[in-house]
Amino acid sequence: MGEHQGKRSGAGGPVGHPATQPMGYSEAGRWRPRQALRLALAVFVAKLVRWLTRVLNRGHGGTSLPGRIVLSLAPDAILLWMQQLRRGVVVVTGTNGKTSTANLIRLFLRRQGYRVVANASGANLLGGVATALALATDPWGRLRSADYAVIEADERISERIVAAAGVKARALVVTNILRDQLDRLAEPELVRQAIGRAASRLPATARLLLNADDPGVVQLATSNLADSPVSSDSSDRRAPSSATTVFYGLGEVTTDRPGATAGLPRAEAAMPGGEAASVDTEVRDSETCPACGSQLSFALRFYSHLGFYECPVCGWRRPEPAWTADATLVRCEPGDDPGWAVAVHVPDHTEPVRGVLPGEAAATASASLPDSVRVKLAAAGVHQLYNLLAAVATVAELTGRLPLQAGEIIRPQVFGRMEKVALGAEWGHRELVLALTKNPTGANQNLRTLAGDQRVRSVMFVLNDLAADGRDISWIWDVDWSPVVARTDWTLVATGRRAAEAALCWHYAGVATERIQVQPSLETAMRTAVESIPPGSRCLALATYTGLLQFRHLLATRHWVSWYWEQDDQTDPEQDSGLLSPLTSM
C-alpha cells in the first residue's frame, strides 16, 4: 500500500498542479520527444510488470505496483493523462462506499455511450490510480480516446488528484466521513480537512456533491470553519470552493414486510416529528454542531450519525438536498433477497457541467427531466441507497441526462461488497457472502443487513493488521456484535493475523466460548465455516482489506469468482465487467 508520494512543488507538486506542464510538453505546449519516450518506457515497464504478476500469480494482480513504477519514472504522468481526457475527471472520496459509488458512476456513464477509464478494483492510492490510467494507454503512453476518468481516491490523496485534473475536474463526490484506520488517517476531523482542501481546488465549472445526511460532510460547504468557536485549527483555513455545491440525501425509508429489519434504521425508524429512541451501541463520529459546539438533535438516524439533525441552540441543521430518494424494503422478485423499491426525486434544474477548454464539446442538456423515477435496487442496506443516489446525482449533473429508466432492477455486484459467491453442488449449493469490514460503522451495517436472513448460519472473520488494513484493530471493540450474540445458531470462525483478538472480542460481547473456533489457515477456516452449515445455507465472511484479497485469491484459484483486478482493464462502454447484471424490467 506504500504509494509513491513525490516531492511537493509549490502548491501542487509533480503529481499535478494545474499550472505544471505535463510530461512530454514544453512551456510553449510543444511535444518533447525525450520526455515522451521516458513516459512510453515507464508505461511499457509497468504493463510488463502487471503481466508478470498475473502470469506468475504473485502480488494482487498488479493493481498498484505498475503505477508506482510509472510515477517513479514519470512523476507527472497522472497530470498528463488527465489533461488528455475528452470530458474530464470525476473523483469519489469518503470513508465508506467509495468503490460501489464510483463503479455505479462508471457504469451509468458507459450506458450513456461514454468511454470511461477507472480504478475499479478499489486500489485508490496514487499507485492504483496511475496503474488504471496506464492500462488504458497506447504503446507510446498516450491515453486512448477516453471521455471520463472516474477515480476512487483515498481521502489523503483526494487533493492531489483534483489538483492533477485541474480544469478537467468535473465533480468531487463525498460519501461520508467516519472513523477509519486511526493509525493512518487519524481522527475524522483531519479527514474532513483533507477533503476540504480537495474541494477548494475544484474549478468553477465543477460540481461538489455532498451527503446532506452526514453533518461532517455538510461542513465541507462552509468556507472556513476554523473561524467557528469549536475549531482553532489554522490548517483548515482554506479558500471556499468555487464549484457548485449539490446536496443529496435520503427521504422516507420504510418496509412493506412486517417484522423485517434488514438494512432499516433499527431503533430510530420514526420519520421526522415522531419519537426516536436512542441506540447506545451505535458508533457516532459527528454529533456536535460545527457552529456552536452544542450537541446535535436527531429526528432520525439511518445509521451512525447519518440522518436528520438540527442544533437546538443555534439552529444549524441538515440542508435541504437537491437530490432525494424514498425507499421501501421489498423483495425485488420472488425468491430474491430483500431489496429496495426506490423513488429518486429529480431537482428542477437540468443544466449539465459545461466544457471550458478550447475545442471541447460541452455536454448537451436534455429538454426536460422527469420529476422522479422509480426503480428497484436488488441490495439491502441503507448504505446501498446512498451509493445509488450519489451515482445517479453525479451522472445527471455531469450530462444533463438521467441514467435510470423507470422500472429497472439494478443488481450491484462489486467485489467484496456483500458479494454473493455460489459454491456449487459439490459444496451442497452453499453460498458465501463476502463483506469488506474495516471500521465499526461498516461492520454494523453488514451485520444488521444480514441479521434477519435465516439462510445465514455461520460467520467467519478474517482480521489482519497489515498496513493496508490499518495496524490499529481496536475498532473491533466498538462494533455492535449483538446480532452475532442473538443468533445462537451461527457458527463463528476467526482467522487472520489477529484471529485471537477477534475471538476474544466475541467472547466479551457475550458469545458462548463453545461457539467460537480459531483457525490459523484461511482455507481451513473457510472449510470449517462452510461445512458446518446445512446445504443451501450461507456463510457471512467479514474481512479486512488484505483478508478480502486473500479470500478472493483463494476463490479465484478454484474458479468460483473472477479475478477482481480484471475490472480495471475495461474502457468499452458495452462492457460492465460484472459490476451490474443487465438491467431488467420489473
Side-chain angles (χ1 to χ4, degrees):
M1 290 290 291
E3 299 284 3
H4 175 83
Q5 298 296 324
K7 296 181 180 179
R8 298 183 65 84
S9 174
V15 172
H17 190 277
T20 305
Q21 286 294 330
M23 169 69 71
Y25 287 92
S26 67
E27 293 183 359
R30 295 176 181 175
W31 184 255
R32 295 186 296 180
R34 181 176 300 178
Q35 280 68 25
L37 288 173
R38 183 178 169 190
L39 179 60
L41 175 62
V43 169
F44 172 78
V45 174
K47 290 184 177 182
L48 177 62
V49 169
R50 190 281 307 261
W51 178 79
L52 288 174
T53 58
R54 299 182 181 183
V55 169
L56 300 177
N57 203 17
R58 291 289 186 268
H60 298 307
T63 56
S64 292
L65 178 59
R68 294 201 296 269
I69 292 172
V70 168
L71 293 176
S72 66
L73 297 174
D76 51 0
I78 292 178
L79 181 149
L80 170 61
W81 287 326
M82 287 188 172
Q83 301 310 313
Q84 293 173 358
L85 294 164
R86 291 177 174 176
R87 298 254 178 212
V89 182
V90 179
V91 181
V92 182
T93 193
T95 305
N96 288 348
K98 295 187 294 290
T99 302
S100 298
T101 301
N103 277 280
L104 282 167
I105 292 171
R106 178 184 65 149
L107 176 68
F108 289 153
L109 286 172
R110 285 180 174 173
R111 291 180 61 193
Q112 293 190 359
Y114 297 107
R115 295 182 63 87
V116 183
V117 60
N119 55 333
S121 68
N124 56 28
L125 297 182
L126 289 177
V129 175
T131 297
L133 295 171
L135 295 182
T137 61
D138 63 19
W140 290 100
R142 293 172 297 195
L143 193 64
R144 301 187 188 116
S145 55
D147 298 300
Y148 286 102
V150 178
I151 303 299
E152 174 193 340
D154 179 86
E155 301 92 308
R156 294 185 309 168
I157 71 160
S158 58
E159 179 186 6
R160 303 181 74 179
I161 298 301
V162 173
V167 293
K168 286 284 189 174
R170 291 293 183 261
L172 174 63
V173 186
V174 186
T175 58
N176 46 59
I177 298 177
L178 307 164
R179 189 192 334 163
D180 184 46
Q181 296 189 17
L182 294 179
D183 57 313
R184 188 175 70 87
L185 296 173
E187 293 295 330
E189 172 64 15
L190 297 180
V191 173
R192 184 191 64 77
Q193 291 176 16
I195 299 176
R197 290 190 292 272
S200 68
R201 286 185 172 274
L202 290 171
T205 53
R207 297 287 195 271
L208 175 61
L209 289 105
L210 303 178
N211 187 341
D213 297 346
D214 188 328
V217 172
V218 171
Q219 293 179 43
L220 296 171
T222 305
S223 63
N224 192 2
L225 283 175
D227 290 335
S228 75
V230 296
S231 176
S232 59
D233 189 349
S234 61
S235 67
D236 195 34
R237 296 182 183 274
R238 51 185 167 81
S241 175
S242 59
T244 300
T245 300
V246 179
F247 290 104
Y248 65 91
L250 298 185
E252 186 175 3
V253 179
T254 58
T255 179
D256 68 350
R257 302 168 58 225
T261 58
L264 287 175
R266 185 169 52 181
E268 288 133 324
M271 291 297 106
E275 295 296 326
S278 174
V279 184
D280 293 333
T281 56
E282 185 81 13
V283 173
R284 303 164 183 172
D285 297 317
S286 183
E287 287 195 299
T288 57
C289 174
C292 70
S294 302
Q295 191 79 4
L296 292 175
S297 174
F298 282 76
L300 165 69
R301 291 182 199 270
F302 293 109
Y303 62 86
S304 188
H305 58 261
L306 275 69
F308 297 166
Y309 51 86
E310 182 176 7
C311 177
V313 177
C314 71
W316 189 85
R317 61 182 300 173
R318 171 184 183 261
E320 189 67 29
W323 290 85
T324 61
D326 297 330
T328 301
L329 190 67
V330 298
R331 288 198 182 277
C332 293
E333 289 183 337
D336 268 2
D337 291 328
W340 298 103
V342 187
V344 177
H345 302 291
V346 182
D348 56 7
H349 70 270
T350 60
E351 187 71 13
V353 175
R354 295 286 182 179
V356 295
L357 297 181
E360 181 186 18
T364 302
S366 302
S368 63
L369 293 178
D371 293 334
S372 65
V373 60
R374 295 182 179 274
V375 297
K376 285 188 177 179
L377 176 64
V382 175
H383 58 291
Q384 301 279 11
L385 294 173
Y386 283 115
N387 299 338
L388 175 65
L389 181 59
V392 171
T394 301
V395 174
E397 293 285 341
L398 284 174
T399 68
R401 291 180 288 164
L402 200 63
L404 297 177
Q405 300 174 15
E408 291 181 329
I409 299 178
I410 304 173
R411 302 182 181 278
Q413 273 294 316
V414 180
F415 72 93
R417 277 67 174 179
M418 304 302 283
E419 177 185 13
K420 299 177 179 64
V421 181
L423 300 183
E426 66 273 20
W427 285 69
H429 295 287
R430 297 176 176 93
E431 190 175 63
L432 285 170
V433 181
L434 305 182
L436 175 66
T437 303
K438 60 190 182 77
N439 55 49
T441 298
N444 289 340
Q445 279 300 101
N446 290 333
L447 291 170
R448 186 179 304 174
T449 299
L450 289 180
D453 188 345
Q454 297 304 312
R455 286 173 292 179
V456 175
R457 300 295 296 275
S458 66
V459 176
M460 62 178 296
F461 189 8
V462 188
L463 180 60
N464 286 343
D465 62 349
L466 298 171
D469 307 294
R471 302 289 187 183
D472 184 351
I473 64 163
S474 62
W475 61 268
I476 68 174
W477 297 90
D478 292 327
V479 176
D480 176 15
W481 295 108
S482 58
V484 174
V485 177
R487 288 289 299 269
T488 57
D489 59 329
W490 283 1
T491 299
L492 304 180
V493 182
T495 188
R497 290 167 52 93
R498 304 298 290 273
E501 283 87 343
L504 185 64
C505 184
W506 282 339
H507 171 72
Y508 278 103
V511 178
T513 304
E514 59 270 16
R515 291 178 55 199
I516 304 172
Q517 299 186 50
V518 177
Q519 295 287 353
S521 165
L522 176 60
E523 185 171 5
T524 303
M526 184 185 76
R527 189 170 294 276
T528 299
V530 171
E531 292 183 347
S532 66
I533 61 178
S537 301
R538 284 177 170 171
C539 169
L540 171 60
L542 306 174
T544 56
Y545 184 73
T546 62
L548 177 64
L549 298 184
Q550 293 165 0
F551 210 136
R552 287 195 100 264
H553 185 277
L554 179 64
L555 297 175
T557 56
R558 287 160 173 76
H559 306 290
W560 289 336
V561 298
S562 61
W563 297 101
Y564 70 92
W565 38 256
E566 290 176 351
Q567 297 186 69
D568 271 352
D569 296 342
Q570 309 294 335
T571 56
D572 192 322
E574 296 182 357
Q575 298 188 44
D576 298 342
S577 303
L579 171 63
L580 299 180
S581 63
L583 305 184
T584 55
S585 299
M586 293 194 294

